[in-house]
Amino acid sequence: MTQVTRGTRVADHGGGVHAIEVPIPDNPLGHTLVYVVDTDRGPVLVDTGWDDPASWDTLTDGLRRLGTDVADIHGVVLTHHHPDHHGLSGRVREASGAWLAMHAADTAVVRRTREAEPGAWLAYLTEKLTAVGAPEDHLAPLRAARARGSGRSLPGMRAALPDREIVPGDLLPLPGRRLRAIWTPGHTPGHVCLHLEERHPSGRPGHGRLFSGDHLLPGITPHIGLYEDPDDATVTDPLGDYVSSLERVGRLGVAEVLPAHQHVFTDAAGRVRELLAHHESRLADLLSLLAAEPLTPWQLAVRMEWNRPWSEIPYGSRNIAVSEAEAHVRRLVKLGRAEGVPGPPLSYRAVESPTPPVP
């Protein structure tokens, strides 16, 4: 069913659904798959891509290849707030007057980021990394960046504020289509998948198709880090949220998954099982580390297995790795398999399982 044109890569997935590969600058992911869904009121986009001139040119060229124009866009449905998905939303709205829809939890992130004072995020990140045991040589560049005022240019600082709320379980306002919002927190607090409740155009068995954003990808394990809100002291459990969301999506029985990266795929339930097993294995590995000695989230991240040695992980990616380590150890605490050791810095240790009574 999928057909790809030359130049800007535009794929036809049938049934009035196309995908445009919009590049992400200097990122190994390569591109975001921006989906174009035909409706009775004009095309609606699922995500928009990174806010970059080359990305904008690719998006607009892809729309022209589909026989439409950015000015014709009726609406934009955003799976989540990350800049490779939400980045171009503002430009699309300026060019077309389209509405922008996002889950309230991620809209709150966008609003908080827009209203933050320059450097506030860098100050928070420095404080957070200090609390989890980051060494001084890692903290020094953050302090220097704050002193230079570099916080003004961080991605997402001036992202467009959505004007419509995606309500979980509701059908979205796509005239002539049935697109239902499925709340799938984990990657972000307001991540949504979008269930196209229509017969697969090629007759493939299953219950429609799923625009899965970053929640369910064919060959990548999405980043599950902390939900960062400097003004909220709630101890969240993003990995627990993600596991529950995966199980919910796995029960939909969709015929095909249209993710935001890589390629479309089938067998969503099988991919869900792989991801659940991956995270269970990750938790078991961390528990073994914590059984040997108390460790900070930074020390855990250094010892965890990644797709390359720690020494080769770039600076910014180390911050992401530490956030993922802490999300996993929080899950262990929630399950009663680990506990915090007061700091500073904060560390964790395994909790011994009670010895079963002798019969």
Side-chain angles (χ1 to χ4, degrees):
M1 173 64 68
T2 302
Q3 297 178 343
V4 180
T5 65
R6 294 182 178 180
T8 297
R9 293 177 62 84
V10 179
D12 180 359
H13 295 294
V17 175
H18 295 81
I20 304 171
E21 292 188 5
V22 177
I24 309 172
D26 302 318
N27 190 293
L29 277 176
H31 60 266
T32 300
L33 292 171
V34 173
Y35 292 96
V36 185
V37 182
D38 294 340
T39 80
D40 293 344
R41 290 283 301 278
V44 168
L45 301 183
V46 176
D47 293 333
T48 60
W50 192 279
D51 186 5
D52 177 80
S55 303
W56 174 255
D57 290 346
T58 301
L59 177 63
T60 55
D61 181 58
L63 290 170
R64 285 192 294 270
R65 289 170 180 266
L66 294 175
T68 186
D69 187 88
V70 68
D72 300 326
I73 299 301
H74 173 58
V76 178
V77 184
L78 296 156
T79 60
H80 61 298
H81 71 82
H82 286 165
D84 56 323
H85 298 256
H86 181 36
L88 287 172
S89 300
R91 292 195 66 177
V92 171
R93 181 164 60 189
E94 290 172 6
S96 64
W99 47 262
L100 308 183
M102 181 183 282
H103 188 281
D106 271 21
T107 296
V109 176
V110 175
R111 182 177 291 108
R112 184 169 66 244
T113 304
R114 286 171 55 91
E115 296 173 354
E117 292 296 322
W121 170 250
L122 291 172
Y124 170 74
L125 187 57
T126 302
E127 179 182 343
K128 178 66 180 174
L129 287 167
T130 300
V132 297
E136 181 57 34
D137 63 350
H138 188 84
L139 299 171
L142 291 172
R143 296 196 179 101
R146 187 185 179 197
R148 294 193 305 270
S150 299
R152 298 175 184 270
S153 60
L154 291 173
M157 290 300 291
R158 292 295 176 263
L161 192 64
D163 47 74
R164 294 194 182 186
E165 180 180 341
I166 295 177
V167 178
D170 281 5
L171 288 171
L172 279 86
L174 275 64
R177 310 303 297 252
R178 288 187 60 84
L179 188 67
R180 192 176 302 277
I182 310 294
W183 184 34
T184 51
H187 184 58
T188 70
H191 191 289
V192 294
C193 291
L194 304 157
H195 188 192
L196 190 60
E197 298 177 337
E198 300 170 7
R199 184 175 179 272
H200 192 280
S202 66
R204 185 186 300 276
H207 302 292
R209 294 182 280 180
L210 185 75
F211 298 103
S212 65
D214 282 359
H215 183 69
L216 196 61
L217 302 169
I220 300 172
T221 304
H223 167 63
I224 308 299
L226 302 185
Y227 301 151
E228 304 290 4
D229 183 350
D231 300 322
D232 188 351
T234 304
V235 179
T236 58
D237 179 20
L239 182 56
D241 292 342
Y242 182 63
V243 167
S244 297
S245 299
L246 276 178
E247 292 171 341
R248 185 161 57 250
V249 165
R251 291 192 293 267
L252 290 175
V254 295
E256 189 173 48
V257 179
L258 295 90
H261 304 288
Q262 298 190 298
H263 54 83
V264 301
F265 63 101
T266 58
D267 192 16
R271 183 59 180 148
V272 165
R273 288 192 296 271
E274 290 176 355
L275 289 167
L276 291 173
H278 165 81
H279 286 291
E280 191 57 42
S281 175
R282 203 89 159 140
L283 290 173
D285 291 344
L286 262 65
L287 196 59
S288 295
L289 291 171
L290 295 176
E293 58 178 323
L295 296 170
T296 66
W298 181 275
Q299 291 169 329
L300 279 172
V302 171
R303 290 163 171 77
M304 289 170 68
E305 289 189 13
W306 305 101
N307 60 1
R308 68 190 94 174
W310 182 259
S311 61
E312 298 177 11
I313 295 178
Y315 181 90
S317 297
R318 291 187 179 191
N319 296 336
I320 295 173
V322 173
S323 179
E324 181 140 341
E326 189 168 3
H328 278 72
V329 78
R330 281 192 187 184
R331 185 64 187 152
L332 289 173
V333 171
K334 184 82 170 181
L335 294 171
R337 296 155 71 181
E339 62 184 4
V341 179
L346 177 65
S347 60
Y348 294 87
R349 63 188 171 203
V351 173
E352 292 186 11
S353 300
T355 303
V358 177

